């Protein structure tokens, strides 16, 4: 561990302090977790892209719609899922619409809300992509960890998720 500057001492007032060995170990664990998950996610999404040609953002949209009621969701929910701006989400939706995988139309609940809905080819592509991801997860994650450890990991991450995604059938 690097030396602390002389002005930073553990436990002295509210000023800067050095990380303890416990802090350092915790931060190293976090680094392993977050960087490993990022690399694993990239690898899993590469598997999907190789099999289906879907970019990760396109797959995320199709997966979200595949699991949404009636395979449709408001565009603002897609933006929240992707973590994109409205313009960025519109670009992804435009590409998927041009490919014939989704269509957009006003919500029957509120005509101001635009819903994205899977088309039949979109449904087929989404199912293929989802099954590809499921196979990759079994091979790369569940196999090495075991089903019980994987379930515990999912439960643990779910418990600390600061913003779980709500689903609304009529947006």
């Amino acid at each position: 561990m690097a030396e602390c500057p002389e002005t930073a001492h553990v436990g002295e007032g509210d000023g800067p302090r050095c990380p303890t060995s416990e802090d350092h170990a915790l931060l190293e664990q976090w680094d392993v977790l977050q960087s490993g998950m990022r690399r694993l996610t990239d690898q899993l999404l590469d598997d999907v892209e190789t099999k289906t040609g879907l970019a990760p953002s396109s797959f995320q949209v199709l997966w979200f719609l595949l699991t949404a009621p009636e395979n449709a969701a408001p565009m603002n929910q897609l933006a929240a899922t992707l973590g994109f701006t409205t313009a960025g989400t519109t670009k992804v939706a435009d590409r998927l619409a041009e490919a014939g995988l989704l269509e957009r139309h006003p919500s029957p609940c509120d005509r101001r809300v635009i819903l994205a809905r899977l088309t039949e080819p979109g449904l087929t592509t989404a199912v293929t992509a989802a099954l590809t991801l499921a196979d990759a997860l079994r091979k790369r994650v569940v196999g090495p960890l075991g089903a019980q450890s994987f379930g515990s990991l999912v439960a643990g991450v779910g418990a600390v998720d600061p913003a779980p995604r709500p689903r609304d059938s009529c947006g």
Side-chain angles (χ1 to χ4, degrees):
M1 182 168 21
E3 288 295 316
C4 256
E6 285 187 34
T7 58
H9 299 282
V10 175
E12 281 193 8
D14 293 332
R17 68 178 186 97
C18 290
T20 64
S21 58
E22 185 179 304
D23 292 334
H24 186 72
L26 180 64
L27 294 170
E28 283 188 0
Q29 287 177 315
W30 172 250
D31 185 54
V32 167
L33 179 64
Q34 65 88 23
S35 62
M37 288 302 294
R38 185 177 56 248
R39 287 188 301 273
L40 176 62
T41 298
D42 289 347
Q43 201 173 55
L44 292 167
L45 293 175
D46 282 348
D47 290 349
V48 172
E49 187 168 10
T50 298
K51 176 119 183 192
T52 64
L54 291 172
S57 58
S58 294
F59 171 67
Q60 285 180 284
V61 168
L62 295 184
W63 167 249
F64 187 83
L65 294 175
L66 182 64
T67 60
E70 299 179 27
N71 302 123
M75 289 292 293
N76 65 346
Q77 282 187 3
L78 294 181
T81 296
L82 293 171
F84 285 4
T85 62
T86 300
T89 303
T90 299
K91 285 182 184 180
V92 173
D94 285 347
R95 283 194 302 268
L96 291 170
E98 287 169 14
L101 302 178
L102 70 75
E103 59 189 13
R104 289 175 281 198
H105 55 86
S107 167
C109 300
D110 183 345
R111 310 279 299 158
R112 298 169 296 176
V113 173
I114 301 299
L115 294 177
R117 181 182 313 276
L118 289 177
T119 61
E120 283 301 316
L123 182 61
T124 300
T125 301
V127 167
T128 299
L131 292 173
T132 299
L133 180 59
D135 289 343
L137 282 166
R138 283 185 195 92
K139 176 183 169 189
R140 297 180 191 271
V141 184
V142 178
L145 289 179
Q148 187 172 358
S149 291
F150 179 66
S152 296
L153 177 63
V154 170
V157 171
V160 297
D161 186 348
R165 292 183 298 197
R167 298 278 175 127
D168 182 3
S169 63
C170 199

